[in-house]
Amino acid sequence: MNDGGIDTKIETLLQLLLIASATSISVKWIKMPYSVALVIAGLVIGLSGVMKPVYMTPDLVMVLFLPALLFEASWDLDFQALKRDWRAISALATVGVFVCMVSVAAVLHFLGGISLTIGMLFGAIVSATDPVSVVALFRRIGMPKRLTMLLEGESLFNDGTAVVLFKIVLLIVLSSSAVSIPATLFSFAYVILGGILAGGVVGWLASLLTRIVDDHLIETMLTMVAAYGSFLVADRFGVSQIISIVTAGIIIGNYGATAMSENTRRTVDAFWEYAAFIANSLLFLLIGLQLNPQVLWGHASLIALAVLGVIVARVLVVYGICGIGSTKRLPISMEWRHLLFWGGVRGALCMALALSLPLHLNGRDEIINMTYGVVLFTLIIQGLSMEPLVKLLGMDKEEPKKQAEPS
């Protein structure tokens, strides 16, 4: 501790936790989503200069926060409900990501004169949705569980697809030689399927251990090892870490958890709920601290074009692709599509991908500013207007029987 570096980091962490605590208490009296309030708090603190600058790095998001958030969401995911809507969710998380990338690139290229390669790169970055505030709102006001599943399921899986697509497009942008389409498609399939396999193996092994051990603390620790272990295994073999974590979480939550006692299940639920709460709190605060309104205002026209591109892409994805999963037995109504469209909020993963771009990449600053602008717009504008939209559509008045899940 010669230079006081560790003490400073601990002090900064405590400051962020205190701010998050104060914000969480404040939102009890004001009608504002917790995540939106945190972003605004971060903005205000960053502008006031009351604390030392805190920077969000790609490694911080991808290694520390993301495994906790993804595992918590997938651990609690009902596999049977996921199976019922696998067509819609898989279409949104695969074809939807590609459509979003191409649509955003087209808008930026034809209306803004931005090169197609840079447009595709930015499109891949903003394809990853992060509807934490929307899902929290849906659960608070008692929206249909199936609607929440569609939004959350899309987000869980399209994060992995978007990251893989981002890496492939970045490789194409940086490559000076021609890129083989068959090799690119093989690489895409390898990364996605490899992530499923890696997460499946880790999740299965962890589930077996939970059936052998009967101790709530050890079993909780096993789920933590599985969450971060699936990330490390996937990273070791060069496959999708996100898909690996989600797969491991789904397997443990739906197979391993069946052997857990009621006390253990409550302990694991509480642990991951708290871990996700801390991760989300710090992430949304960090998002606010990264944003500089003056810099963003200087790129207002570019950001407005980027927001337009994202909205156009979301329209095509939701109103077009949702039809794939809408059947007579499991319809996706137009009201639901409106909410899915406006619920496509972007968050920390987009910012982490933008920050991970090589420093020498032409257009890096423009991509980062556009990404920050899109994240700010979706979190503040869409986040704050979601509840009024729900009420406008009359969805808050649905009878409980209408929210029942199909058997």
Side-chain angles (χ1 to χ4, degrees):
M1 293 189 201
N2 293 337
D3 59 358
I6 295 178
D7 290 340
T8 302
K9 290 177 181 177
I10 294 175
E11 181 183 343
T12 301
L13 177 61
L14 287 175
Q15 288 175 337
L16 292 174
L17 290 175
L18 281 171
I19 294 166
S21 300
T23 305
S24 64
I25 294 171
S26 300
V27 296
K28 300 293 182 183
W29 287 278
I30 57 175
K31 278 198 168 185
M32 181 181 293
Y34 176 56
S35 55
V36 176
L38 283 169
V39 173
I40 294 174
L43 267 171
V44 173
I45 292 166
L47 291 173
S48 64
V50 295
M51 66 180 290
K52 294 180 181 179
V54 183
Y55 300 105
M56 184 172 70
T57 64
D59 286 343
L60 186 68
V61 176
M62 297 295 290
V63 179
L64 186 60
F65 293 137
L66 211 56
L69 294 173
L70 292 170
F71 189 87
E72 188 273 338
S74 54
W75 150 267
D76 209 28
L77 209 61
D78 184 350
F79 184 66
Q80 295 304 318
L82 183 65
K83 276 204 314 183
R84 282 196 295 265
D85 278 302
W86 72 269
R87 289 184 181 85
I89 291 172
S90 59
L92 288 168
T94 54
V95 179
V97 171
F98 183 77
V99 169
C100 179
M101 180 186 72
V102 173
S103 302
V104 169
V107 170
L108 292 178
H109 178 69
F110 292 110
L111 297 183
I114 295 174
S115 69
L116 278 174
T117 52
I118 294 300
M120 296 275 275
L121 193 57
F122 173 71
I125 289 172
V126 295
S127 295
T129 58
D130 183 22
V132 173
S133 57
V134 179
V135 169
L137 169 67
F138 282 3
R139 287 174 177 167
R140 178 171 62 83
I141 63 180
M143 294 295 288
K145 291 182 179 180
R146 181 170 169 249
L147 176 59
T148 305
M149 162 68 73
L150 286 170
L151 194 65
E152 195 168 23
E154 176 200 5
S155 175
L156 278 174
F157 291 100
N158 81 358
D159 282 358
T161 311
V163 171
V164 174
L165 204 57
F166 164 76
K167 291 180 178 179
I168 290 174
V169 175
L170 180 61
L171 181 64
I172 293 172
V173 170
L174 297 176
S175 177
S176 56
S177 57
V179 177
S180 168
I181 293 179
T184 301
L185 293 175
F186 175 79
S187 175
F188 182 82
Y190 169 77
V191 172
I192 296 294
L193 296 177
I196 294 174
L197 179 61
V201 171
V202 173
W204 179 70
L205 290 174
S207 296
L208 287 182
L209 290 174
T210 60
R211 290 173 176 271
I212 296 171
V213 179
D214 186 18
D215 185 292
H216 66 284
L217 294 179
I218 295 176
E219 290 177 85
T220 302
M221 185 166 59
L222 283 172
T223 62
M224 187 176 180
V225 170
Y228 288 88
S230 57
F231 176 93
L232 293 174
V233 169
D235 184 64
R236 172 67 179 81
F237 289 98
V239 296
S240 173
Q241 299 103 322
I242 293 176
I243 297 294
S244 179
I245 297 166
V246 171
T247 304
I250 291 174
I251 290 175
I252 297 175
N254 289 271
Y255 173 63
T258 58
M260 293 179 179
S261 66
E262 187 178 342
N263 179 48
T264 298
R265 180 76 196 217
R266 282 199 302 265
T267 302
V268 176
D269 282 340
F271 171 79
W272 283 109
E273 184 180 4
Y274 178 69
F277 174 74
I278 291 294
N280 271 318
S281 299
L282 294 178
L283 269 178
F284 283 113
L285 265 180
L286 287 171
I287 288 175
L289 289 167
Q290 310 310 300
L291 300 172
N292 187 327
Q294 292 180 336
V295 174
L296 295 179
W297 183 253
H299 295 82
S301 59
L302 194 61
I303 289 171
L305 194 63
V307 170
L308 174 63
V310 170
I311 290 175
V312 169
R314 190 67 183 168
V315 168
L316 294 175
V317 169
V318 172
Y319 294 102
I321 295 176
C322 268
I324 296 175
S326 183
T327 63
K328 288 183 179 180
R329 180 173 172 270
L330 292 169
I332 301 176
S333 68
M334 195 54 66
E335 289 81 9
W336 281 24
R337 297 189 200 193
H338 296 334
L339 295 178
L340 289 171
F341 157 66
W342 202 238
V345 176
R346 270 63 176 181
L349 181 58
C350 296
M351 296 178 69
L353 292 177
L355 290 171
S356 71
L357 291 170
L359 296 176
H360 64 274
L361 179 72
N362 290 329
R364 182 178 188 270
D365 290 341
E366 287 79 4
I367 290 177
I368 290 176
N369 285 312
M370 286 193 296
T371 303
Y372 280 19
V374 166
V375 169
L376 184 62
F377 176 87
T378 59
L379 280 174
I380 303 295
I381 305 301
Q382 294 180 213
L384 288 176
S385 60
M386 179 55 72
E387 189 166 3
L389 177 61
V390 170
K391 293 179 179 179
L392 180 66
L393 295 172
M395 299 292 290
D396 59 325
K397 299 176 182 177
E398 282 200 354
E399 299 292 335
K401 63 182 179 181
K402 292 182 180 179
Q403 297 181 15
E405 303 304 310
S407 57

